């Protein structure tokens, strides 16, 4: 579909993982209970001082976006803390902050990544402390929620999944926002397999982007669980995984009708 691959570090700074995408500094996800912080080195840096100042202004007052911002002081020391990235959207904002801010690519722009992320969560049949996401974003003219849903439906149809649903949700950095659910035959229920939305103006202003940006983060392990009809994703990654199963299980092959 014309996408280019992007990659980013596992050890990230809060600026790219949260602040630059307009997540407030008092958001619950930033607490130790949800995020793994790194002790040594404790902090990183952002060399683009102009970008840091714009992020500070947009966080505090909304700048010239028409927003009121979060109406609280922004602390650069919190933004520079090192952590294990909690989502691959950190990679997206590194690309937005470098390639698009410096006009190194021409519109329309399509990027994707497949990467590992880390969250300090209780582990169960559908949650892991480390897992993988498929990240993607598109910048271009006349992009809408319908465009976003079309890309996501096309992706899952290529994977052999046709039973998906969209549910409105809230993200600090996207509006409208939508969770994606897929039908899990083995579990006999709808399971959340992704999150998506259109980036808010406050998220795009630091990078000088005036076009709509559609984006998504899709779960890899839950996708695999649906495809292989495995109820517990701990059987796919971690100590419960069967090495013999990985070695010997035939990959699912799907045939699609041309529409």
């Amino acid at each position: 579909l014309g996408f280019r691959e992007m990659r980013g570090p596992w050890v990230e700074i809060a600026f790219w993982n949260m602040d630059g995408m307009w997540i407030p500094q008092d958001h619950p996800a930033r607490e130790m209970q949800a995020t793994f912080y790194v002790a040594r080195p404790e902090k990183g840096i952002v060399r683009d001082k102009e970008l840091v100042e714009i992020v500070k202004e947009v966080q505090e007052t909304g700048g010239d976006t028409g927003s009121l911002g979060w109406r609280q002081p922004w602390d650069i020391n919190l933004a520079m803390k090192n952590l294990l990235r909690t989502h691959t959207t950190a990679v997206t904002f590194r690309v937005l902050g470098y390639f698009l801010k410096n006009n190194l690519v021409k519109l329309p722009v399509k990027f994707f990544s497949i990467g590992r992320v880390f969250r300090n969560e209780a582990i169960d049949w559908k949650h892991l402390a480390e897992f993988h996401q498929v990240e993607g974003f598109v910048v271009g003219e006349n992009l809408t929620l319908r465009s976003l849903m079309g890309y996501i439906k096309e992706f899952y149809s290529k994977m052999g999944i046709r039973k998906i649903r969209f549910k409105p949700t809230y993200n600090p950095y996207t509006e409208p926002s939508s969770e994606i659910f897929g039908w899990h035959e083995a579990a006999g229920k709808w399971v959340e397999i992704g999150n998506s939305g259109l980036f808010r103006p406050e998220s795009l202003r630091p990078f000088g982007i005036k076009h709509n940006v559609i984006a998504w983060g899709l779960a890899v392990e839950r996708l695999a669980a649906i495809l292989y009809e495995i109820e517990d994703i701990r059987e796919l990654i971690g100590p419960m995984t069967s090495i013999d199963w990985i070695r010997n299980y035939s990959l699912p092959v799907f045939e699609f009708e041309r529409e």
Side-chain angles (χ1 to χ4, degrees), residues 14-35:
F15 182 87
W16 294 116
N17 196 81
M18 297 167 181
D19 296 87
M21 54 193 297
W22 209 58
I23 295 178
Q25 291 194 325
D26 61 354
H27 194 280
R30 302 177 74 129
E31 299 296 326
M32 288 293 293
Q33 289 82 1
T35 302

Side-chain angles (χ1 to χ4, degrees), residues 5-49:
E5 186 171 7
M6 57 182 177
R7 295 182 181 179
W10 287 6
V11 177
E12 190 55 275
I13 58 174
F15 182 87
W16 294 116
N17 196 81
M18 297 167 181
D19 296 87
M21 54 193 297
W22 209 58
I23 295 178
Q25 291 194 325
D26 61 354
H27 194 280
R30 302 177 74 129
E31 299 296 326
M32 288 293 293
Q33 289 82 1
T35 302
F36 292 109
Y37 286 94
V38 177
R40 293 188 301 272
E42 183 182 2
K43 294 180 181 179
I45 60 171
V46 175
R47 292 187 173 86
D48 191 337
K49 303 304 179 185

Side-chain angles (χ1 to χ4, degrees), residues 22 54-55 57-70 200-209:
W22 209 58
I54 297 175
V55 167
E57 181 182 11
V58 174
Q59 279 266 344
E60 292 182 343
T61 68
D64 58 3
T65 65
S67 167
L68 296 176
W70 295 116
R200 291 177 60 99
E202 298 95 330
S203 298
L204 301 175
R205 173 61 184 87
F207 313 106
I209 300 171

Side-chain angles (χ1 to χ4, degrees), residues 178-207:
S178 178
E179 292 175 339
I180 306 113
F181 287 78
W183 178 253
H184 194 317
E185 195 67 41
K189 62 180 68 176
W190 292 94
V191 176
E192 183 185 351
I193 53 177
N195 202 324
S196 63
L198 277 73
F199 283 130
R200 291 177 60 99
E202 298 95 330
S203 298
L204 301 175
R205 173 61 184 87
F207 313 106

Side-chain angles (χ1 to χ4, degrees), residues 10-213:
W10 287 6
V11 177
E12 190 55 275
I13 58 174
F15 182 87
W16 294 116
N17 196 81
M18 297 167 181
D19 296 87
M21 54 193 297
W22 209 58
I23 295 178
Q25 291 194 325
D26 61 354
H27 194 280
R30 302 177 74 129
E31 299 296 326
M32 288 293 293
Q33 289 82 1
T35 302
F36 292 109
Y37 286 94
V38 177
R40 293 188 301 272
E42 183 182 2
K43 294 180 181 179
I45 60 171
V46 175
R47 292 187 173 86
D48 191 337
K49 303 304 179 185
E50 179 187 5
L51 177 62
V52 173
E53 286 301 314
I54 297 175
V55 167
K56 171 181 168 64
E57 181 182 11
V58 174
Q59 279 266 344
E60 292 182 343
T61 68
D64 58 3
T65 65
S67 167
L68 296 176
W70 295 116
R71 293 190 283 184
Q72 61 185 10
W74 183 76
D75 187 347
I76 191 172
N77 293 310
L78 293 178
M80 296 303 148
K81 280 191 172 184
N82 282 327
L83 48 80
L84 297 180
R85 67 184 184 192
T86 60
H87 47 198
T88 46
T89 312
V91 186
T92 287
F93 275 81
R94 278 188 173 272
V95 171
L96 293 174
Y98 182 70
F99 285 97
L100 271 75
K101 185 173 184 292
N102 295 294
N103 297 314
L104 299 178
V105 290
K106 295 182 179 180
L107 300 183
V109 175
K110 299 179 181 180
F111 276 92
F112 84 96
S113 71
I114 304 172
R116 186 169 296 195
V117 297
F118 308 84
R119 295 182 188 175
N120 193 0
E121 293 187 316
I123 298 174
D124 59 26
W125 70 276
K126 63 176 182 177
H127 293 95
L128 297 169
E130 55 179 305
F131 53 98
H132 297 80
Q133 287 184 333
V134 178
E135 179 80 11
F137 74 87
V138 181
V139 187
E141 301 281 354
N142 304 317
L143 292 171
T144 65
L145 180 62
R146 185 171 183 172
S147 310
L148 174 65
M149 295 170 69
Y151 273 104
I152 292 170
K153 289 179 70 175
E154 180 68 12
F155 171 81
Y156 282 115
S157 71
K158 296 291 187 183
M159 295 291 105
I161 297 176
R162 297 297 178 92
K163 292 183 179 181
I164 66 169
R165 289 178 175 176
F166 296 90
K167 176 186 174 183
T169 189
Y170 167 76
N171 298 319
Y173 46 90
T174 57
E175 180 62 36
S177 309
S178 178
E179 292 175 339
I180 306 113
F181 287 78
W183 178 253
H184 194 317
E185 195 67 41
K189 62 180 68 176
W190 292 94
V191 176
E192 183 185 351
I193 53 177
N195 202 324
S196 63
L198 277 73
F199 283 130
R200 291 177 60 99
E202 298 95 330
S203 298
L204 301 175
R205 173 61 184 87
F207 313 106
I209 300 171
K210 298 180 180 179
H211 296 84
N212 282 349
V213 180

Side-chain angles (χ1 to χ4, degrees), residues 221-222 224-225 228 230 232-238 241 245-246:
E221 281 77 11
R222 293 186 188 183
Y228 292 107
I230 293 175
D232 195 327
I233 61 173
R234 290 173 292 185
E235 296 179 22
L236 291 167
I237 182 171
T241 304
W245 181 85
I246 291 177

